[in-house]
Amino acid sequence: MTSPPSAPIPAPDRLQPEELQAWRGMLQVHARLTAALDDDLRRQHGLSVPGYEVLMFVGDAEEGQARMADLADRVLLSRSGLTRLVDRLVADGLLQRRACEDDGRGSFAQITPDGRRRLQDARRTHLDGVRRLFLEHVGAAEQRQLGALWERVLAAI
C-alpha cells in the first residue's frame, strides 16, 4: 500500500516558487503602481503620492484638520519624514499648523483653501490612475477577494 504524496517541506532559507511569486508580485505591483501614480501627480499637480495622501487624510478629516500623531499612523512615512513633508506643504500654502489646545506637545495640520483646491484636482487624477492602472485589470469578484485577503493579512500583523 502506497501512501499519498506529501507536500514538500518548505526550506527554511527560501520561499517556494508560488510563495515567491505571490510575495514578489505584491511588491512589484505596489512599487510600479505607486511610481506611476506619483509621476502623474507630480507632473499634473506638483504633489507626490505621500503629499497627496496627507492632503487627502487632512482634507477628509472632520473640520479639515488632523492631529500629526494620527497622520503619522496613517501614512507610510516615519514621523520625521511626515514632519518634513508637512513642513513643505505648509511652505507651499496647502496646509497650516495649529497648536493642540488640550496637549501642549501636540499639533494639528489643517488644510487651507488652496490645499482643498489642489486636493480636489489631484483626487481626480489619482482616482483615474487607480482605475486605469489597477482596477480595470481586476474584476469585481477579484477586488472583493483582494480586499478580504489584505484585511486578513493586516489583522495578522
Side-chain angles (χ1 to χ4, degrees), residues 84-144:
R84 287 189 300 275
L85 176 56
V86 168
D87 288 345
R88 283 193 302 274
L89 295 171
V90 167
D92 291 343
L94 305 176
L95 292 178
Q96 61 187 11
R97 284 184 183 269
R98 288 193 31 255
C100 182
E101 294 173 7
D102 61 343
D103 179 0
R105 297 176 300 153
S107 66
F108 286 98
Q110 185 171 34
I111 197 162
T112 65
D114 285 344
R116 192 162 297 283
R117 281 188 291 277
R118 180 88 61 94
L119 172 60
Q120 288 170 347
D121 291 342
R123 190 183 307 257
R124 283 192 279 293
T125 300
H126 183 260
L127 293 177
D128 288 347
V130 168
R131 288 181 179 115
R132 182 183 79 251
L133 299 168
F134 180 65
L135 296 175
E136 287 178 6
H137 308 283
V138 182
E142 293 167 318
Q143 291 170 23
R144 285 189 296 278

Short mmCIF file of all heavy atoms in Angstrom, two decimals, residues 84-144:
data_model
loop_
_atom_site.label_atom_id
_atom_site.label_comp_id
_atom_site.label_asym_id
_atom_site.label_seq_id
_atom_site.Cartn_x
_atom_site.Cartn_y
_atom_site.Cartn_z
N ARG A 84 8.71 66.60 7.88
CA ARG A 84 9.32 67.32 6.75
C ARG A 84 8.32 67.53 5.62
O ARG A 84 8.27 68.60 5.02
CB ARG A 84 10.55 66.56 6.23
CG ARG A 84 11.75 66.65 7.17
CD ARG A 84 13.02 66.09 6.53
NE ARG A 84 12.92 64.70 6.14
CZ ARG A 84 13.14 63.67 6.95
NH1 ARG A 84 13.51 63.87 8.20
NH2 ARG A 84 13.03 62.43 6.50
N LEU A 85 7.50 66.52 5.34
CA LEU A 85 6.50 66.65 4.29
C LEU A 85 5.47 67.71 4.65
O LEU A 85 5.12 68.56 3.83
CB LEU A 85 5.82 65.30 4.03
CG LEU A 85 4.69 65.31 3.01
CD1 LEU A 85 5.13 65.87 1.67
CD2 LEU A 85 4.12 63.91 2.86
N VAL A 86 4.98 67.68 5.88
CA VAL A 86 4.00 68.70 6.31
C VAL A 86 4.64 70.08 6.25
O VAL A 86 3.99 71.05 5.80
CB VAL A 86 3.43 68.37 7.70
CG1 VAL A 86 2.66 69.55 8.28
CG2 VAL A 86 2.53 67.13 7.62
N ASP A 87 5.90 70.20 6.64
CA ASP A 87 6.58 71.49 6.54
C ASP A 87 6.59 71.99 5.09
O ASP A 87 6.37 73.19 4.84
CB ASP A 87 8.02 71.39 7.06
CG ASP A 87 8.10 71.26 8.57
OD1 ASP A 87 7.08 71.52 9.26
OD2 ASP A 87 9.19 70.89 9.07
N ARG A 88 6.83 71.11 4.13
CA ARG A 88 6.82 71.51 2.71
C ARG A 88 5.41 71.92 2.27
O ARG A 88 5.24 72.90 1.54
CB ARG A 88 7.33 70.37 1.82
CG ARG A 88 8.84 70.22 1.85
CD ARG A 88 9.35 69.32 0.73
NE ARG A 88 8.80 67.98 0.72
CZ ARG A 88 9.28 66.94 1.42
NH1 ARG A 88 10.33 67.09 2.20
NH2 ARG A 88 8.72 65.76 1.33
N LEU A 89 4.40 71.17 2.71
CA LEU A 89 3.02 71.51 2.35
C LEU A 89 2.60 72.83 2.99
O LEU A 89 1.83 73.59 2.38
CB LEU A 89 2.08 70.37 2.74
CG LEU A 89 2.29 69.05 1.98
CD1 LEU A 89 1.46 67.93 2.59
CD2 LEU A 89 1.98 69.21 0.49
N VAL A 90 3.10 73.12 4.17
CA VAL A 90 2.85 74.43 4.81
C VAL A 90 3.53 75.53 4.01
O VAL A 90 2.93 76.56 3.70
CB VAL A 90 3.32 74.42 6.29
CG1 VAL A 90 3.36 75.84 6.86
CG2 VAL A 90 2.42 73.52 7.14
N ALA A 91 4.79 75.30 3.64
CA ALA A 91 5.53 76.29 2.85
C ALA A 91 4.86 76.55 1.50
O ALA A 91 4.91 77.68 0.99
CB ALA A 91 6.98 75.83 2.64
N ASP A 92 4.21 75.54 0.94
CA ASP A 92 3.50 75.69 -0.33
C ASP A 92 2.11 76.30 -0.17
O ASP A 92 1.40 76.48 -1.16
CB ASP A 92 3.37 74.33 -1.03
CG ASP A 92 4.70 73.80 -1.54
OD1 ASP A 92 5.67 74.58 -1.64
OD2 ASP A 92 4.77 72.58 -1.84
N GLY A 93 1.71 76.55 1.08
CA GLY A 93 0.41 77.16 1.34
C GLY A 93 -0.76 76.19 1.28
O GLY A 93 -1.92 76.62 1.21
N LEU A 94 -0.49 74.89 1.32
CA LEU A 94 -1.55 73.89 1.22
C LEU A 94 -2.07 73.43 2.57
O LEU A 94 -3.21 72.97 2.68
CB LEU A 94 -1.05 72.69 0.41
CG LEU A 94 -0.51 73.03 -0.98
CD1 LEU A 94 0.04 71.79 -1.66
CD2 LEU A 94 -1.56 73.71 -1.83
N LEU A 95 -1.24 73.53 3.59
CA LEU A 95 -1.61 73.21 4.97
C LEU A 95 -1.15 74.34 5.86
O LEU A 95 -0.26 75.12 5.50
CB LEU A 95 -0.93 71.91 5.44
CG LEU A 95 -1.32 70.58 4.81
CD1 LEU A 95 -0.47 69.46 5.41
CD2 LEU A 95 -2.80 70.29 5.00
N GLN A 96 -1.73 74.37 7.05
CA GLN A 96 -1.19 75.21 8.11
C GLN A 96 -1.14 74.38 9.39
O GLN A 96 -1.88 73.41 9.52
CB GLN A 96 -2.02 76.48 8.29
CG GLN A 96 -3.46 76.25 8.68
CD GLN A 96 -4.27 77.54 8.69
OE1 GLN A 96 -3.80 78.58 8.22
NE2 GLN A 96 -5.47 77.49 9.20
N ARG A 97 -0.25 74.75 10.28
CA ARG A 97 -0.15 74.05 11.56
C ARG A 97 -0.90 74.84 12.62
O ARG A 97 -0.88 76.07 12.62
CB ARG A 97 1.31 73.93 12.00
CG ARG A 97 2.08 72.89 11.26
CD ARG A 97 3.48 72.83 11.90
NE ARG A 97 4.33 71.92 11.23
CZ ARG A 97 4.46 70.64 11.56
NH1 ARG A 97 3.78 70.15 12.55
NH2 ARG A 97 5.28 69.87 10.90
N ARG A 98 -1.52 74.09 13.52
CA ARG A 98 -2.19 74.71 14.65
C ARG A 98 -1.80 73.94 15.90
O ARG A 98 -1.71 72.71 15.87
CB ARG A 98 -3.71 74.61 14.49
CG ARG A 98 -4.26 75.53 13.42
CD ARG A 98 -5.78 75.68 13.47
NE ARG A 98 -6.38 75.57 14.77
CZ ARG A 98 -7.07 74.51 15.21
NH1 ARG A 98 -7.23 73.45 14.47
NH2 ARG A 98 -7.61 74.51 16.41
N ALA A 99 -1.60 74.67 16.98
CA ALA A 99 -1.29 74.03 18.26
C ALA A 99 -2.54 73.32 18.77
O ALA A 99 -3.66 73.76 18.54
CB ALA A 99 -0.83 75.07 19.27
N CYS A 100 -2.31 72.22 19.44
CA CYS A 100 -3.40 71.47 20.06
C CYS A 100 -3.65 72.07 21.44
O CYS A 100 -2.76 72.06 22.29
CB CYS A 100 -3.01 70.00 20.16
SG CYS A 100 -4.29 68.95 20.83
N GLU A 101 -4.86 72.59 21.64
CA GLU A 101 -5.15 73.30 22.89
C GLU A 101 -5.11 72.41 24.11
O GLU A 101 -4.71 72.85 25.19
CB GLU A 101 -6.52 73.99 22.78
CG GLU A 101 -6.54 75.09 21.74
CD GLU A 101 -7.92 75.66 21.52
OE1 GLU A 101 -8.86 75.28 22.26
OE2 GLU A 101 -8.07 76.47 20.59
N ASP A 102 -5.50 71.14 23.99
CA ASP A 102 -5.54 70.26 25.16
C ASP A 102 -4.25 69.45 25.34
O ASP A 102 -4.15 68.65 26.26
CB ASP A 102 -6.76 69.33 25.09
CG ASP A 102 -6.75 68.42 23.88
OD1 ASP A 102 -6.00 68.71 22.93
OD2 ASP A 102 -7.51 67.43 23.88
N ASP A 103 -3.27 69.64 24.45
CA ASP A 103 -1.99 68.92 24.55
C ASP A 103 -0.91 69.86 24.04
O ASP A 103 -0.76 70.05 22.83
CB ASP A 103 -2.04 67.64 23.72
CG ASP A 103 -0.74 66.86 23.74
OD1 ASP A 103 0.22 67.29 24.41
OD2 ASP A 103 -0.68 65.81 23.08
N GLY A 104 -0.14 70.42 24.94
CA GLY A 104 0.88 71.40 24.58
C GLY A 104 1.93 70.86 23.64
O GLY A 104 2.59 71.62 22.93
N ARG A 105 2.13 69.55 23.61
CA ARG A 105 3.14 68.96 22.72
C ARG A 105 2.58 68.61 21.36
O ARG A 105 3.31 68.46 20.40
CB ARG A 105 3.73 67.70 23.35
CG ARG A 105 4.47 67.96 24.65
CD ARG A 105 4.94 66.68 25.27
NE ARG A 105 3.78 65.82 25.56
CZ ARG A 105 3.79 64.51 25.61
NH1 ARG A 105 4.90 63.86 25.42
NH2 ARG A 105 2.72 63.83 25.87
N GLY A 106 1.25 68.48 21.26
CA GLY A 106 0.64 68.04 20.01
C GLY A 106 0.32 69.21 19.09
O GLY A 106 0.26 70.37 19.51
N SER A 107 0.13 68.88 17.82
CA SER A 107 -0.28 69.90 16.87
C SER A 107 -1.18 69.29 15.81
O SER A 107 -1.21 68.07 15.62
CB SER A 107 0.93 70.57 16.23
OG SER A 107 1.65 69.66 15.42
N PHE A 108 -1.90 70.17 15.15
CA PHE A 108 -2.79 69.79 14.07
C PHE A 108 -2.22 70.28 12.75
O PHE A 108 -1.57 71.32 12.69
CB PHE A 108 -4.17 70.45 14.23
CG PHE A 108 -5.02 69.87 15.31
CD1 PHE A 108 -5.09 70.46 16.55
CD2 PHE A 108 -5.78 68.73 15.07
CE1 PHE A 108 -5.89 69.93 17.55
CE2 PHE A 108 -6.58 68.20 16.05
CZ PHE A 108 -6.64 68.80 17.30
N ALA A 109 -2.51 69.54 11.70
CA ALA A 109 -2.33 70.02 10.33
C ALA A 109 -3.73 70.35 9.84
O ALA A 109 -4.65 69.54 10.00
CB ALA A 109 -1.68 68.96 9.45
N GLN A 110 -3.89 71.54 9.29
CA GLN A 110 -5.20 71.97 8.79
C GLN A 110 -5.07 72.36 7.33
O GLN A 110 -4.12 73.06 6.95
CB GLN A 110 -5.72 73.14 9.61
CG GLN A 110 -7.13 73.56 9.23
CD GLN A 110 -7.70 74.57 10.19
OE1 GLN A 110 -6.97 75.40 10.73
NE2 GLN A 110 -9.00 74.49 10.42
N ILE A 111 -6.02 71.92 6.52
CA ILE A 111 -5.96 72.22 5.09
C ILE A 111 -6.38 73.67 4.85
O ILE A 111 -7.27 74.18 5.53
CB ILE A 111 -6.81 71.21 4.28
CG1 ILE A 111 -6.43 71.24 2.81
CG2 ILE A 111 -8.29 71.43 4.51
CD1 ILE A 111 -6.88 70.02 2.03
N THR A 112 -5.73 74.32 3.93
CA THR A 112 -6.05 75.69 3.56
C THR A 112 -6.99 75.66 2.34
O THR A 112 -7.15 74.62 1.70
CB THR A 112 -4.78 76.46 3.17
OG1 THR A 112 -4.22 75.87 1.99
CG2 THR A 112 -3.75 76.47 4.31
N PRO A 113 -7.60 76.79 2.00
CA PRO A 113 -8.41 76.82 0.78
C PRO A 113 -7.61 76.41 -0.47
O PRO A 113 -8.12 75.66 -1.31
CB PRO A 113 -8.88 78.28 0.70
CG PRO A 113 -8.93 78.72 2.15
CD PRO A 113 -7.75 78.03 2.78
N ASP A 114 -6.35 76.86 -0.58
CA ASP A 114 -5.52 76.42 -1.71
C ASP A 114 -5.27 74.91 -1.66
O ASP A 114 -5.27 74.24 -2.69
CB ASP A 114 -4.18 77.16 -1.72
CG ASP A 114 -4.30 78.59 -2.21
OD1 ASP A 114 -5.34 78.94 -2.82
OD2 ASP A 114 -3.35 79.36 -1.98
N GLY A 115 -5.06 74.39 -0.46
CA GLY A 115 -4.86 72.95 -0.30
C GLY A 115 -6.09 72.17 -0.70
O GLY A 115 -5.99 71.11 -1.34
N ARG A 116 -7.26 72.68 -0.36
CA ARG A 116 -8.50 71.99 -0.71
C ARG A 116 -8.69 71.98 -2.24
O ARG A 116 -9.06 70.95 -2.81
CB ARG A 116 -9.71 72.64 -0.03
CG ARG A 116 -10.93 71.78 -0.14
CD ARG A 116 -12.01 72.13 0.84
NE ARG A 116 -11.70 71.97 2.24
CZ ARG A 116 -11.65 70.82 2.90
NH1 ARG A 116 -11.84 69.68 2.27
NH2 ARG A 116 -11.40 70.79 4.19
N ARG A 117 -8.37 73.09 -2.91
CA ARG A 117 -8.48 73.12 -4.37
C ARG A 117 -7.49 72.14 -5.01
O ARG A 117 -7.84 71.39 -5.93
CB ARG A 117 -8.22 74.55 -4.89
CG ARG A 117 -9.42 75.46 -4.76
CD ARG A 117 -9.21 76.79 -5.45
NE ARG A 117 -8.20 77.61 -4.81
CZ ARG A 117 -8.42 78.40 -3.76
NH1 ARG A 117 -9.63 78.46 -3.23
NH2 ARG A 117 -7.44 79.11 -3.22
N ARG A 118 -6.26 72.14 -4.51
CA ARG A 118 -5.26 71.22 -5.07
C ARG A 118 -5.68 69.78 -4.83
O ARG A 118 -5.52 68.93 -5.70
CB ARG A 118 -3.90 71.51 -4.43
CG ARG A 118 -2.76 70.64 -4.92
CD ARG A 118 -2.03 71.18 -6.14
NE ARG A 118 -1.42 72.45 -5.94
CZ ARG A 118 -0.17 72.67 -5.56
NH1 ARG A 118 0.66 71.66 -5.38
NH2 ARG A 118 0.28 73.88 -5.40
N LEU A 119 -6.21 69.49 -3.65
CA LEU A 119 -6.68 68.13 -3.34
C LEU A 119 -7.79 67.72 -4.30
O LEU A 119 -7.78 66.60 -4.82
CB LEU A 119 -7.17 68.05 -1.90
CG LEU A 119 -7.86 66.75 -1.48
CD1 LEU A 119 -6.94 65.55 -1.65
CD2 LEU A 119 -8.38 66.86 -0.05
N GLN A 120 -8.77 68.59 -4.54
CA GLN A 120 -9.87 68.24 -5.44
C GLN A 120 -9.35 67.92 -6.84
O GLN A 120 -9.78 66.94 -7.46
CB GLN A 120 -10.89 69.38 -5.50
CG GLN A 120 -11.69 69.49 -4.23
CD GLN A 120 -12.54 70.76 -4.18
OE1 GLN A 120 -12.36 71.68 -4.97
NE2 GLN A 120 -13.46 70.80 -3.23
N ASP A 121 -8.43 68.72 -7.35
CA ASP A 121 -7.86 68.47 -8.68
C ASP A 121 -7.05 67.18 -8.69
O ASP A 121 -7.17 66.36 -9.61
CB ASP A 121 -6.97 69.63 -9.10
CG ASP A 121 -7.76 70.90 -9.38
OD1 ASP A 121 -8.99 70.83 -9.57
OD2 ASP A 121 -7.13 71.98 -9.38
N ALA A 122 -6.22 67.00 -7.68
CA ALA A 122 -5.34 65.83 -7.62
C ALA A 122 -6.14 64.55 -7.38
O ALA A 122 -5.76 63.48 -7.88
CB ALA A 122 -4.29 66.01 -6.53
N ARG A 123 -7.24 64.64 -6.67
CA ARG A 123 -8.05 63.45 -6.39
C ARG A 123 -8.57 62.85 -7.70
O ARG A 123 -8.55 61.64 -7.88
CB ARG A 123 -9.21 63.78 -5.46
CG ARG A 123 -9.95 62.54 -4.96
CD ARG A 123 -11.14 62.86 -4.09
NE ARG A 123 -10.89 63.73 -2.99
CZ ARG A 123 -10.77 63.33 -1.72
NH1 ARG A 123 -10.83 62.07 -1.41
NH2 ARG A 123 -10.58 64.23 -0.77
N ARG A 124 -8.99 63.68 -8.63
CA ARG A 124 -9.46 63.17 -9.93
C ARG A 124 -8.33 62.42 -10.64
O ARG A 124 -8.53 61.34 -11.17
CB ARG A 124 -9.98 64.32 -10.79
CG ARG A 124 -11.35 64.82 -10.39
CD ARG A 124 -11.97 65.73 -11.43
NE ARG A 124 -11.56 67.13 -11.43
CZ ARG A 124 -11.81 68.02 -10.48
NH1 ARG A 124 -12.44 67.65 -9.40
NH2 ARG A 124 -11.44 69.27 -10.60
N THR A 125 -7.15 63.02 -10.67
CA THR A 125 -6.00 62.38 -11.31
C THR A 125 -5.66 61.06 -10.64
O THR A 125 -5.42 60.05 -11.30
CB THR A 125 -4.78 63.33 -11.27
OG1 THR A 125 -5.13 64.53 -11.97
CG2 THR A 125 -3.55 62.70 -11.88
N HIS A 126 -5.64 61.06 -9.31
CA HIS A 126 -5.30 59.86 -8.55
C HIS A 126 -6.31 58.74 -8.81
O HIS A 126 -5.94 57.60 -9.12
CB HIS A 126 -5.23 60.18 -7.06
CG HIS A 126 -4.82 59.03 -6.22
ND1 HIS A 126 -5.73 58.27 -5.53
CD2 HIS A 126 -3.61 58.49 -5.98
CE1 HIS A 126 -5.09 57.31 -4.88
NE2 HIS A 126 -3.81 57.41 -5.13
N LEU A 127 -7.59 59.06 -8.71
CA LEU A 127 -8.62 58.04 -8.92
C LEU A 127 -8.62 57.53 -10.36
O LEU A 127 -8.78 56.32 -10.59
CB LEU A 127 -10.00 58.58 -8.54
CG LEU A 127 -10.19 58.87 -7.05
CD1 LEU A 127 -11.56 59.47 -6.80
CD2 LEU A 127 -9.96 57.64 -6.20
N ASP A 128 -8.42 58.42 -11.32
CA ASP A 128 -8.32 57.97 -12.71
C ASP A 128 -7.14 57.00 -12.86
O ASP A 128 -7.26 55.98 -13.55
CB ASP A 128 -8.11 59.16 -13.66
CG ASP A 128 -9.36 60.00 -13.84
OD1 ASP A 128 -10.47 59.55 -13.44
OD2 ASP A 128 -9.24 61.13 -14.37
N GLY A 129 -6.02 57.30 -12.23
CA GLY A 129 -4.86 56.42 -12.30
C GLY A 129 -5.10 55.08 -11.64
O GLY A 129 -4.73 54.03 -12.17
N VAL A 130 -5.73 55.10 -10.46
CA VAL A 130 -6.04 53.84 -9.77
C VAL A 130 -6.94 52.97 -10.63
O VAL A 130 -6.71 51.77 -10.77
CB VAL A 130 -6.68 54.13 -8.38
CG1 VAL A 130 -7.27 52.86 -7.77
CG2 VAL A 130 -5.67 54.76 -7.44
N ARG A 131 -7.92 53.60 -11.23
CA ARG A 131 -8.84 52.83 -12.09
C ARG A 131 -8.12 52.30 -13.33
O ARG A 131 -8.25 51.13 -13.69
CB ARG A 131 -10.03 53.69 -12.47
CG ARG A 131 -10.97 53.93 -11.30
CD ARG A 131 -12.17 54.78 -11.68
NE ARG A 131 -13.03 54.94 -10.53
CZ ARG A 131 -13.26 56.11 -9.92
NH1 ARG A 131 -12.72 57.23 -10.38
NH2 ARG A 131 -14.04 56.16 -8.86
N ARG A 132 -7.37 53.16 -14.01
CA ARG A 132 -6.71 52.80 -15.27
C ARG A 132 -5.61 51.77 -15.06
O ARG A 132 -5.48 50.82 -15.83
CB ARG A 132 -6.12 54.07 -15.90
CG ARG A 132 -5.44 53.86 -17.23
CD ARG A 132 -4.81 55.16 -17.76
NE ARG A 132 -3.54 55.43 -17.10
CZ ARG A 132 -3.33 56.40 -16.21
NH1 ARG A 132 -4.27 57.24 -15.87
NH2 ARG A 132 -2.14 56.56 -15.66
N LEU A 133 -4.81 51.95 -14.02
CA LEU A 133 -3.63 51.11 -13.82
C LEU A 133 -3.91 49.83 -13.02
O LEU A 133 -3.14 48.88 -13.12
CB LEU A 133 -2.54 51.91 -13.11
CG LEU A 133 -2.04 53.15 -13.86
CD1 LEU A 133 -1.19 54.01 -12.94
CD2 LEU A 133 -1.26 52.72 -15.09
N PHE A 134 -4.99 49.81 -12.25
CA PHE A 134 -5.23 48.67 -11.38
C PHE A 134 -6.63 48.09 -11.54
O PHE A 134 -6.79 46.94 -11.97
CB PHE A 134 -4.97 49.06 -9.92
CG PHE A 134 -5.19 47.96 -8.93
CD1 PHE A 134 -4.37 46.83 -8.94
CD2 PHE A 134 -6.20 48.03 -8.00
CE1 PHE A 134 -4.56 45.80 -8.03
CE2 PHE A 134 -6.41 47.00 -7.08
CZ PHE A 134 -5.59 45.89 -7.10
N LEU A 135 -7.64 48.87 -11.22
CA LEU A 135 -9.00 48.32 -11.14
C LEU A 135 -9.53 47.79 -12.46
O LEU A 135 -10.30 46.83 -12.47
CB LEU A 135 -9.95 49.36 -10.54
CG LEU A 135 -9.63 49.75 -9.10
CD1 LEU A 135 -10.54 50.87 -8.65
CD2 LEU A 135 -9.72 48.55 -8.17
N GLU A 136 -9.13 48.40 -13.59
CA GLU A 136 -9.59 47.89 -14.90
C GLU A 136 -9.05 46.49 -15.19
O GLU A 136 -9.58 45.81 -16.07
CB GLU A 136 -9.15 48.85 -16.02
CG GLU A 136 -9.92 50.13 -16.05
CD GLU A 136 -9.44 51.08 -17.15
OE1 GLU A 136 -8.57 50.68 -17.96
OE2 GLU A 136 -9.95 52.21 -17.19
N HIS A 137 -8.04 46.08 -14.49
CA HIS A 137 -7.40 44.79 -14.73
C HIS A 137 -7.81 43.73 -13.71
O HIS A 137 -7.33 42.59 -13.78
CB HIS A 137 -5.88 44.95 -14.73
CG HIS A 137 -5.43 46.03 -15.66
ND1 HIS A 137 -5.38 45.88 -17.03
CD2 HIS A 137 -5.08 47.32 -15.41
CE1 HIS A 137 -4.98 47.01 -17.59
NE2 HIS A 137 -4.79 47.89 -16.63
N VAL A 138 -8.66 44.11 -12.78
CA VAL A 138 -9.08 43.21 -11.71
C VAL A 138 -10.60 43.30 -11.62
O VAL A 138 -11.15 44.37 -11.37
CB VAL A 138 -8.44 43.63 -10.36
CG1 VAL A 138 -8.84 42.68 -9.26
CG2 VAL A 138 -6.93 43.72 -10.48
N GLY A 139 -11.27 42.18 -11.85
CA GLY A 139 -12.73 42.16 -11.82
C GLY A 139 -13.28 42.40 -10.43
O GLY A 139 -12.57 42.34 -9.42
N ALA A 140 -14.59 42.63 -10.35
CA ALA A 140 -15.25 42.94 -9.08
C ALA A 140 -15.07 41.82 -8.06
O ALA A 140 -14.80 42.07 -6.88
CB ALA A 140 -16.73 43.25 -9.31
N ALA A 141 -15.23 40.58 -8.49
CA ALA A 141 -15.07 39.44 -7.56
C ALA A 141 -13.63 39.38 -7.05
O ALA A 141 -13.39 39.12 -5.87
CB ALA A 141 -15.46 38.13 -8.23
N GLU A 142 -12.67 39.62 -7.96
CA GLU A 142 -11.26 39.61 -7.56
C GLU A 142 -10.96 40.77 -6.61
O GLU A 142 -10.17 40.62 -5.67
CB GLU A 142 -10.36 39.70 -8.79
CG GLU A 142 -10.44 38.46 -9.67
CD GLU A 142 -9.80 38.68 -11.03
OE1 GLU A 142 -10.00 39.74 -11.64
OE2 GLU A 142 -9.09 37.74 -11.47
N GLN A 143 -11.60 41.91 -6.83
CA GLN A 143 -11.41 43.04 -5.93
C GLN A 143 -11.89 42.69 -4.52
O GLN A 143 -11.22 43.00 -3.53
CB GLN A 143 -12.16 44.27 -6.45
CG GLN A 143 -11.56 44.84 -7.70
CD GLN A 143 -12.44 45.91 -8.33
OE1 GLN A 143 -13.26 46.52 -7.67
NE2 GLN A 143 -12.27 46.11 -9.63
N ARG A 144 -13.05 42.02 -4.44
CA ARG A 144 -13.56 41.60 -3.13
C ARG A 144 -12.60 40.60 -2.48
O ARG A 144 -12.33 40.66 -1.29
CB ARG A 144 -14.96 41.01 -3.27
CG ARG A 144 -16.03 42.07 -3.49
CD ARG A 144 -17.45 41.50 -3.40
NE ARG A 144 -17.73 40.53 -4.45
CZ ARG A 144 -18.10 40.84 -5.70
NH1 ARG A 144 -18.25 42.10 -6.05
NH2 ARG A 144 -18.35 39.89 -6.58
#
